[in-house]
Amino acid sequence: MSRVYNFSAGPAVLPEEVLTEAAAEMLDYKGTGMSVMEMSHRSKAYQTIIEEAEADLRELMHIPDNYKVLFLQGGAHQQFAMVPMNLMKNKVADYIITGQWAKKAWKEAQLYGKANAIASSEDATFSYIPDCSDLPISEDADYVYICENNTIYGTKFHTLPNTKGKLLVADVSSCFLSEPVDVSKYGIIYGGVQKNIGPAGVVIVIIREDLITEDTLPGTPTMLKYKTHADAGSLYNTPPAYGIYICGKVFKWLKNKGGLEVMKAYNEKKAKVLYDFLDESKLFKGTVRKEDRSLMNVPFVTGDKDLDAKFVKEAEAAGFVNLKGHRSVGGMRASIYNAMPIEGVEKLVAFMKDFEEKNG
């Protein structure tokens, strides 16, 4: 069977070159006579894999020396608790609610202190990013929290909120490595890798060193302290070894492509193909305010649930899979991460045009 065009929001499409390389190394990684899956995380070969992965990520993102890179488990969801456990010294934090994941993080933080929802776009089904230029930031807030790209709703913070000097924490799961980023503007950037970087099971946390302390909330488990993992170079316990190995290959793939500036231009070109069609289509409509559109996740609808279902079914038969929108919103969603080739988007648009002619 030939490869499909996989528009899944995550676990998502990975670069074919990376998969081919991993397949070639599956039984014997660089003469070790074993797979990375079987390798001790304490071995010299694995130490090289994780060190190279970190070095390449640092290079790609221009991560300053006073930030640590942690390869952890538990997905972004575990960070919903880990962030307040490690940062809520005053027991106060401000959350900007732009979708389901920010909302879940905010609710989780309420277990540990006072979590204020200082802005929200829930009034319009999270179809826009609220104005964050002058928010009621709490004077004693330990941090301000955002989900930078909202996978379900297809919105993106193109301008970071004015945190009025407070620490910014961002969940970047679905826009990770899609464009250049100024790491120094954040206290913590984290994301699950299963959307734009690697297989499910790894979460990468980039954290400023002064935030890594023993001074966590009482009762914080050893495994949920950033210091535990920072001190052990992400090898406190057995890490998600194979997942990190694939992430490392994706970092090298991105470097070979020319880095994040090149990737951003490519992603803009790809997204434009789809958004331009949606803007002129009589049948399909994008659901997000134009200035807040994501380059990674593009939700759209016909306005008719039966027609939406028909489209998803026929698209799948034609080799365009995982286009069904998130169960909470319905409709369709095309996730066009770094590894989705532009041909996939162009062919999808051609299919949509054909569908519109037959069903418009």
Side-chain angles (χ1 to χ4, degrees):
M1 181 182 168
S2 63
R3 298 265 296 164
V4 294
Y5 287 112
N6 178 10
F7 292 95
S8 170
V13 59
L14 283 165
E16 268 190 47
E17 299 97 311
V18 166
L19 296 175
T20 303
E21 211 175 280
E25 292 173 348
M26 179 56 85
L27 294 178
D28 178 11
Y29 176 73
K30 295 193 173 177
T32 58
M34 66 179 103
S35 169
V36 174
M37 278 191 195
E38 308 165 285
M39 195 178 279
S40 165
H41 62 296
R42 304 289 179 201
S43 66
K44 201 171 177 189
Y46 192 74
Q47 190 70 42
T48 303
I49 288 171
I50 196 168
E51 283 175 2
E52 269 190 31
E54 179 179 336
D56 287 338
L57 180 62
R58 283 185 173 279
E59 189 181 324
L60 278 167
M61 292 181 74
H62 307 295
I63 298 172
D65 291 343
N66 65 324
Y67 282 74
K68 290 270 193 205
V69 173
L70 310 176
F71 295 98
L72 306 179
Q73 302 177 68
H77 273 75
Q78 187 153 289
Q79 294 305 308
F80 298 169
M82 213 162 162
V83 166
M85 281 177 165
N86 285 265
L87 298 191
M88 256 195 182
K89 318 290 187 201
N90 297 327
K91 298 282 192 81
V92 180
D94 290 346
Y95 281 70
I96 299 168
I97 316 294
T98 51
Q100 202 160 304
W101 309 126
K103 195 173 180 180
K104 282 191 173 184
W106 168 60
K107 284 187 171 167
E108 190 74 9
Q110 290 169 18
L111 299 173
Y112 305 103
K114 191 180 176 207
N116 305 303
I118 56 167
S120 172
S121 53
E122 194 164 8
D123 62 330
T125 328
F126 300 119
S127 59
Y128 70 100
I129 298 291
D131 178 4
C132 296
S133 58
D134 186 18
L135 295 170
I137 307 281
S138 310
E139 270 182 43
D140 51 353
D142 292 300
Y143 59 87
V144 177
Y145 182 103
I146 62 169
C147 180
E148 196 161 318
N149 187 88
N150 297 283
T151 325
I152 295 173
Y153 304 96
T155 58
K156 166 81 162 66
F157 279 85
H158 294 296
T159 304
L160 292 177
N162 173 9
T163 64
K164 300 181 180 174
K166 299 295 182 187
L167 200 68
L168 180 64
V169 175
D171 173 354
V172 297
S173 295
S174 52
C175 58
F176 223 154
L177 299 182
S178 63
E179 57 183 42
V181 57
D182 182 354
V183 175
S184 67
K185 289 183 175 172
Y186 306 78
I188 296 179
I189 303 181
Y190 77 82
V193 304
Q194 72 278 6
K195 298 171 183 296
N196 217 17
I197 302 175
V202 185
V203 60
I204 296 172
V205 175
I206 301 163
I207 176 170
R208 214 172 62 207
E209 281 178 352
D210 60 296
L211 303 174
I212 303 168
T213 67
E214 279 291 0
D215 180 22
T216 55
L217 293 186
T220 299
T222 305
M223 276 295 286
L224 297 189
K225 292 177 179 177
Y226 290 124
K227 193 170 188 335
T228 300
H229 302 285
D231 288 352
S234 299
L235 294 168
Y236 174 74
N237 68 324
T238 310
Y242 195 80
I244 294 167
Y245 154 77
I246 299 290
C247 291
K249 288 203 174 299
V250 171
F251 301 154
K252 288 201 186 302
W253 176 79
L254 282 166
K255 280 172 66 177
N256 291 338
K257 288 278 179 196
L260 302 191
E261 289 80 4
V262 171
M263 215 62 229
K264 184 185 185 188
Y266 187 58
N267 287 329
E268 285 174 339
K269 193 175 166 188
K270 269 192 298 190
K272 188 176 190 307
V273 172
L274 186 46
Y275 283 126
D276 281 357
F277 169 69
L278 288 172
D279 287 342
E280 66 188 31
S281 170
K282 301 255 187 307
L283 179 64
F284 297 100
K285 293 279 171 285
T287 58
V288 173
R289 188 167 73 178
K290 277 189 185 182
E291 58 267 35
D292 299 325
R293 285 171 166 174
S294 165
L295 294 179
M296 297 285 99
N297 312 100
V298 185
F300 56 96
V301 294
T302 64
D304 179 326
K305 280 184 181 172
D306 294 336
L307 203 52
D308 286 353
K310 185 184 183 194
F311 172 79
V312 169
K313 191 178 176 188
E314 290 184 11
E316 186 159 343
F320 306 101
V321 305
N322 293 316
L323 280 164
K324 191 176 179 183
H326 190 271
R327 61 186 180 277
S328 65
V329 291
M332 284 76 68
R333 170 182 51 180
S335 292
I336 48 177
Y337 299 122
N338 286 345
M340 171 59 68
I342 196 163
E343 304 79 65
V345 182
E346 289 166 346
K347 286 178 180 175
L348 173 64
V349 166
F351 175 80
M352 289 169 77
K353 281 180 179 167
D354 184 56
F355 184 89
E356 180 166 337
E357 277 170 26
K358 291 172 180 165
N359 297 275

